[in-house]
Amino acid sequence: MLQVAFIQENKEDIIARLAKRNIDATEMINEAIAFDEDRKAIQTKLDNTKAESNSLSKEIGNLYKSGETQKANILKQKTTQLKEITKTFEQELNDKIEALSELLYRIPNVPNPIVPAGNTDEDNEETFREGDIPKLHEGALPHWELAKKYNIIDFELGNKITGAGFPVYIGKGARLQRALIAYFLDKNTEAGYTEYQVPHLVNEASGFGTGQLPDKEGQMYHVTADNLYLIPTAEVPATNIFRDTLLNESDLPISITGYTPCFRREAGSYGAHVRGLNRLHQFDKVEILRVEHPDNSYKALDGMVNHVKGILQELKLPYRILRLCGGDLGFTSALTYDFEVFSTAQDRWLEISSISNFETFQANRLKLRFKNADGKNELCHTLNGSSLALPRVLAGILENYQTEDGIKIPEVLVPYTGFDMIS
């Protein structure tokens, strides 16, 4: 959520930068400023009324002490009127604050100046590419056919138990899945991230804190009886660890990692591009998250990008990095880099990680602050990224490492799997 003071001080710049998202935010920004001016005016009236009421109360007390009862009673009637006026102003103030908050919740984060303008993923900028695309043998298969051939993932069984998008991993498929989770967590903790195990359901306040609500409500599974939401990513519970928190500057940076299953309705997803592991309703993901001093957050973002690079280099998968354009940027992000692995059997790139800097956008919703060197409270910057999302990494391994004799296991994973081939 953008700060009102920031909006007032940077109105034209905000409108121009939000235009990169293909949004004309002029009306919303003007309305937010107007709401805040109204709020200030009502607050002034309320403060003045309370001050007058307090002054009269003291005067009434003195009149009673001096025996001027009649005058005191007349003034007492006026204080009764002032109390009613106070209630009216308090209700108006609460209504205006609520209206302003609801409006601010609908305004997306302001893109960083280096975010390219654009409408779709075709306008994203490729910033890095590494790894050789393997030449597969004749008759190479996409991962969903490999999964069936080697009995390592059963999509039909998952459909029977739950529905489409809930696969069942079997034997070496389950072992490889577990190996990837352990490997990712080990890489992250070795890099200084503290591991957390967090709940897989969150309350409404947590959803609002990280910006999933109200923006992505339709994509989340809602447990209506308890008004809880299944998490779409570990980012939600992990970031909300710090909701309503005042840190010391010396506490920063904070770096955490965690594994969770993730649940996404993915409404409207269909077609060949979502086959197999390409898009699921339940999938596993290891997340990294940082809480940073505003001066250091973009250096931290670069560090997170380099960290994920190192993992993909060890897995020896061909990948590229994209700087997302405004039209493809997430609601809460100021700058996002997507990692994509090349699926040789499908002849297409598959997104496996998004690494984002939210600047103060989430922190403002979360009331996540630190006390700076001057003793003043200041909003932190939050960042998060996938390190990594498993389904498409697994798809990339199955397809790019397939041979006529079976599927090789990346060397770095063999100590975790206990086998070097699926055959």
Side-chain angles (χ1 to χ4, degrees):
M1 186 165 65
L2 299 178
Q3 295 172 275
V4 178
F6 175 71
I7 292 174
Q8 290 173 328
E9 294 168 9
N10 302 276
K11 174 184 168 181
E12 298 304 327
D13 182 50
I14 290 171
I15 291 171
R17 285 161 65 183
L18 285 175
K20 286 187 174 183
R21 292 181 174 271
N22 309 303
I23 295 172
D24 183 355
T26 306
E27 185 176 344
M28 286 194 297
I29 296 302
N30 285 335
E31 192 175 2
I33 292 172
F35 276 173
D36 194 52
E37 292 300 325
D38 290 344
R39 179 196 64 79
K40 290 177 182 177
I42 296 169
Q43 184 71 63
T44 299
K45 291 177 183 178
L46 176 60
D47 292 342
N48 290 340
T49 303
K50 285 183 175 180
E52 184 181 357
S53 182
N54 291 336
S55 178
L56 283 177
S57 295
K58 291 179 182 178
E59 188 177 348
I60 290 167
N62 292 331
L63 288 171
Y64 276 128
K65 286 179 183 179
S66 63
E68 297 181 77
T69 305
Q70 187 175 359
K71 286 184 178 181
N73 289 337
I74 293 171
L75 291 180
K76 198 171 182 181
Q77 291 177 356
K78 190 172 182 180
T79 59
T80 302
Q81 293 173 348
L82 289 174
K83 286 180 181 178
E84 291 303 315
I85 294 172
T86 296
K87 288 180 182 178
T88 301
F89 283 148
E90 285 176 339
Q91 185 60 54
E92 288 180 8
L93 181 63
N94 289 335
D95 290 346
K96 192 60 65 174
I97 290 172
E98 185 176 340
L100 176 59
S101 295
E102 287 178 0
L103 175 60
L104 291 175
Y105 276 132
R106 292 192 285 112
I107 301 174
N109 201 358
V110 177
N112 183 286
I114 68 170
V115 170
N119 297 317
T120 68
D121 55 7
E122 295 179 358
D123 299 312
N124 296 333
E125 290 181 353
E126 183 175 322
T127 62
F128 188 81
R129 185 183 293 211
E130 187 173 42
D132 296 325
I133 295 173
K135 294 182 179 179
L136 299 181
H137 61 279
E138 187 177 347
L141 301 172
H143 70 269
W144 54 85
E145 293 187 23
L146 291 168
K148 188 172 185 178
K149 178 179 179 179
Y150 295 108
N151 193 31
I152 53 176
I153 308 170
D154 195 323
F155 296 100
E156 293 178 1
L157 185 57
N159 192 25
K160 170 188 173 182
I161 297 168
T162 308
F166 295 88
V168 174
Y169 299 86
I170 301 168
K172 288 186 175 181
R175 188 73 174 267
L176 178 55
Q177 182 89 340
R178 178 156 54 93
L180 281 165
I181 293 167
Y183 166 65
F184 292 153
L185 286 171
D186 283 351
K187 290 296 293 183
N188 296 344
T189 54
E190 287 167 11
Y193 291 87
T194 301
E195 183 177 350
Y196 278 68
Q197 286 191 355
V198 292
H200 301 162
L201 291 100
V202 294
N203 56 31
E204 200 170 65
S206 293
F208 274 96
T210 46
Q212 274 63 37
L213 297 176
D215 179 55
K216 294 183 175 65
E217 189 167 8
Q219 294 296 323
M220 297 172 71
Y221 286 100
H222 188 193
V223 183
T224 55
D226 302 292
N227 197 26
L228 297 174
Y229 293 85
L230 275 70
I231 60 170
T233 167
E235 169 199 343
V236 183
T239 309
N240 274 278
I241 291 169
F242 307 101
R243 176 154 45 92
D244 298 319
T245 299
L246 178 61
L247 302 167
N248 293 315
E249 191 167 2
S250 58
D251 295 327
L252 302 175
I254 296 171
S255 306
I256 68 176
T257 186
Y259 151 72
T260 65
C262 303
F263 305 88
R264 299 182 186 179
R265 294 184 63 239
E266 297 288 4
S269 297
Y270 57 89
H273 68 289
V274 299
R275 289 193 66 180
L277 297 171
N278 288 350
R279 185 158 298 175
L280 301 175
H281 293 305
Q282 178 181 327
F283 61 95
D284 293 319
K285 183 153 68 82
V286 176
E287 199 81 357
I288 51 176
L289 181 145
R290 296 178 73 93
V291 180
E292 288 282 347
H293 189 288
D295 293 346
N296 301 329
S297 69
Y298 278 96
K299 182 179 179 181
L301 181 67
D302 291 340
M304 294 167 75
V305 168
N306 288 329
H307 174 67
V308 173
K309 274 185 183 179
I311 293 174
L312 290 169
Q313 286 167 351
E314 288 192 352
L315 289 173
K316 297 179 181 177
L317 289 170
Y319 71 95
R320 67 178 183 177
I321 303 174
L322 304 175
R323 182 186 293 125
L324 297 193
C325 70
D328 209 27
L329 198 63
F331 182 85
T332 54
S333 177
L335 178 63
T336 295
Y337 290 100
D338 269 7
F339 280 74
E340 295 183 338
V341 66
F342 191 75
S343 166
T344 306
Q346 297 180 69
D347 192 28
R348 59 189 292 252
W349 293 96
L350 304 174
E351 179 196 332
I352 55 171
S353 175
S354 287
I355 301 176
S356 302
N357 189 345
F358 307 108
E359 297 184 358
T360 61
F361 193 82
Q362 287 183 334
N364 191 29
R365 289 176 172 233
L366 294 160
K367 295 183 175 60
L368 168 55
R369 300 153 297 158
F370 70 97
K371 195 171 288 294
N372 65 23
D374 297 325
K376 295 180 180 179
N377 295 343
E378 188 175 346
L379 290 172
C380 301
H381 279 197
T382 60
L383 306 89
N384 89 277
S386 308
S387 181
L388 288 158
L390 271 75
R392 294 170 186 167
V393 171
L394 183 57
I397 289 172
L398 296 179
E399 294 182 6
N400 291 330
Y401 275 84
Q402 66 178 300
T403 69
E404 292 180 292
D405 300 321
I407 303 165
K408 291 182 179 179
I409 301 300
E411 185 179 350
V412 73
L413 293 179
V414 173
Y416 292 90
T417 59
F419 56 87
D420 61 7
M421 178 76 79
I422 295 174
S423 61

